[in-house]
Amino acid sequence: MTSLTRVPCTIVTGFLGAGKTTLIRHLLENAGGKKLAVIVNEFGDVGIDGEILKGCGIEACPEDNIVELSNGCLCCTVADDFVPALDQILAREVDHILIETSGLALPKPLVQAFQWPAIKSRVTVDGVVAVVDGPALAEGRVAHDMDALDAQRAADDSLDHDDPVEEVFEDQIACADLVIISKSDLLDAAAAETAGARVSAALPRAVSVVRAAGGKVDPSVMLGLGLAVENEIENRKTHHDDELDHDHDDFDSFVVAIPEITDPAALAARVTAAAEAPDVLRVKGFAAVAGKPLRLLVQGVGPRVSHHFDRPWKAEEARRGALVVIGLKGFDRAAVERALLG
């Protein structure tokens, strides 16, 4: 970078399936002339969200400006992953960087990583945006089938009753400068009020809350906040402030290879069955459909499963499908795999 001005960076956090990737795609499509770059930090072995963004074909953010980091929390791998990713992006002289965190990420340690000397002089945290799942909150949960999980823990005195999913949600809200309640088109007035009340109850200070459908938020609302969050992140109290380290041992993931299919609806039904299994939080990935030149994108959160063709298969790509399953530690992998493979 030839400029001495630090590049602003917006951290987009949020639970699994809340709509972070959809929101970022809308930002890329409506950049207003800004040159944007994206770092996608995923939990799992397949970079699904990065692939979704790379398929956009958006001039403001070419594929080379999208950097994927998998199987590692950014704040835990600063030297090995985060700094090299920033080096790669800053060499392109971008105007603004977006970081899409893993759905399991704790935002506070990531913001603290911006205090590293190798980072602090070049980039600053413009703001932290938390995306929350409106319909799930309206139903009184942040993940599918939380009632069953709570009942299991209440019935077994040997289990830890602190819900890791709830803690992740509350920590993300505690660090946010802006909260976006997603999928507002699926909420009636009463449900919207319930979701809003859930967010308000978790907010430790005055923060703007915006409802959105299809990730459509005016970029001026999210970008250019100029808050330099890294300078005051210690004031944002979270559940994990007393921990020297943190990990993701409460969660697990694995990948299921999907042979070429003939019926997208049948695959969606299998994903629905898998996503509704106890302690499964998210299923997402791609599939190849016989006779179709386009790749099928599949995403499932509880009973909500969507699928659509997102882009053509590239000439050098093998037409192989893969689905990432993310859940709480100890979920029944074998049963989920059987459901996905039919």
Side-chain angles (χ1 to χ4, degrees):
M1 294 291 293
T2 57
S3 172
L4 297 179
T5 302
R6 293 188 297 169
V7 175
C9 177
T10 296
I11 295 173
V12 182
T13 186
F15 198 70
L16 299 162
K20 301 186 299 296
T21 304
T22 303
L23 175 70
I24 290 177
R25 179 167 182 162
H26 177 75
L27 289 175
L28 298 181
E29 292 172 338
N30 297 273
K34 286 187 176 181
K35 297 178 182 178
L36 303 181
V38 184
I39 296 176
V40 181
N41 188 209
E42 297 223 59
F43 183 84
D45 300 318
V46 178
I48 299 300
D49 294 340
E51 283 297 316
I52 294 172
L53 294 173
K54 285 183 178 181
C56 293
I58 299 169
E59 184 176 350
C61 185
E63 287 194 13
D64 289 344
N65 281 19
I66 300 174
V67 179
E68 298 172 74
L69 301 175
S70 297
N71 278 339
C73 177
L74 279 178
C75 53
C76 300
T77 58
V78 173
D80 294 336
D81 295 322
F82 194 19
V83 172
L86 286 174
D87 289 341
Q88 178 181 341
I89 286 175
L90 294 177
R92 299 182 176 277
E93 300 189 5
V94 300
D95 298 318
H96 203 110
I97 300 171
L98 305 171
I99 296 182
E100 178 185 350
T101 71
S102 153
L104 308 176
L106 302 175
K108 185 170 182 175
L110 174 54
V111 175
Q112 289 170 326
F114 281 76
Q115 299 169 350
W116 266 53
I119 298 175
K120 187 174 183 178
S121 62
R122 298 187 293 166
V123 294
T124 179
V125 181
D126 185 62
V128 177
V129 178
V131 185
V132 299
D133 188 320
L137 292 181
E139 295 168 358
R141 57 196 179 199
V142 294
H144 179 63
D145 210 5
M146 290 294 294
D147 293 340
L149 177 60
D150 290 341
Q152 176 188 357
R153 295 190 170 190
D156 189 343
D157 292 336
S158 68
L159 293 176
D160 180 0
H161 289 275
D162 288 332
D163 191 334
V165 176
E166 293 288 345
E167 287 190 3
V168 170
F169 171 79
E170 291 170 2
D171 281 7
Q172 289 172 347
I173 295 294
C175 290
D177 302 293
L178 172 68
V179 177
I180 296 175
I181 300 178
S182 67
K183 308 169 189 173
S184 61
D185 54 321
L186 303 179
L187 301 173
D188 59 22
E193 183 176 353
T194 299
R198 179 69 184 277
V199 171
S200 297
L203 285 172
R205 65 193 193 287
V207 169
S208 296
V209 179
V210 176
R211 296 177 189 171
K216 296 180 180 178
V217 176
D218 190 322
S220 64
V221 175
M222 284 185 54
L223 308 183
L225 301 181
L227 297 177
V229 181
E230 69 274 12
N231 293 334
E232 54 91 30
I233 188 61
E234 309 305 333
N235 297 326
R236 304 187 184 188
K237 304 304 179 183
T238 70
H239 289 285
H240 299 81
D241 286 348
D242 295 330
E243 298 179 6
L244 294 178
D245 297 296
H246 72 276
D247 55 42
H248 299 315
D249 286 346
D250 291 316
F251 304 93
D252 200 0
S253 71
F254 75 105
V255 179
V256 178
I258 301 296
E260 189 172 72
I261 65 172
T262 58
D263 184 0
L267 177 61
R270 298 202 300 271
V271 170
T272 299
E276 291 182 332
D279 296 342
V280 170
L281 304 175
R282 183 85 189 275
V283 181
K284 58 181 179 178
F286 304 107
V289 181
K292 300 291 185 180
L294 300 178
R295 187 180 64 175
L296 185 73
L297 169 65
V298 183
Q299 302 211 51
V301 183
R304 299 194 302 272
V305 176
S306 63
H307 59 89
H308 65 271
F309 292 103
D310 70 331
R311 67 162 175 82
W313 288 96
K314 298 177 182 178
E316 67 274 15
E317 285 183 311
R319 288 172 58 91
R320 290 196 297 265
L323 294 173
V324 177
V325 182
I326 303 172
L328 297 175
K329 183 71 74 175
F331 72 88
D332 192 338
R333 288 190 178 201
V336 172
E337 186 168 7
R338 285 195 300 271
L340 290 175
L341 294 176

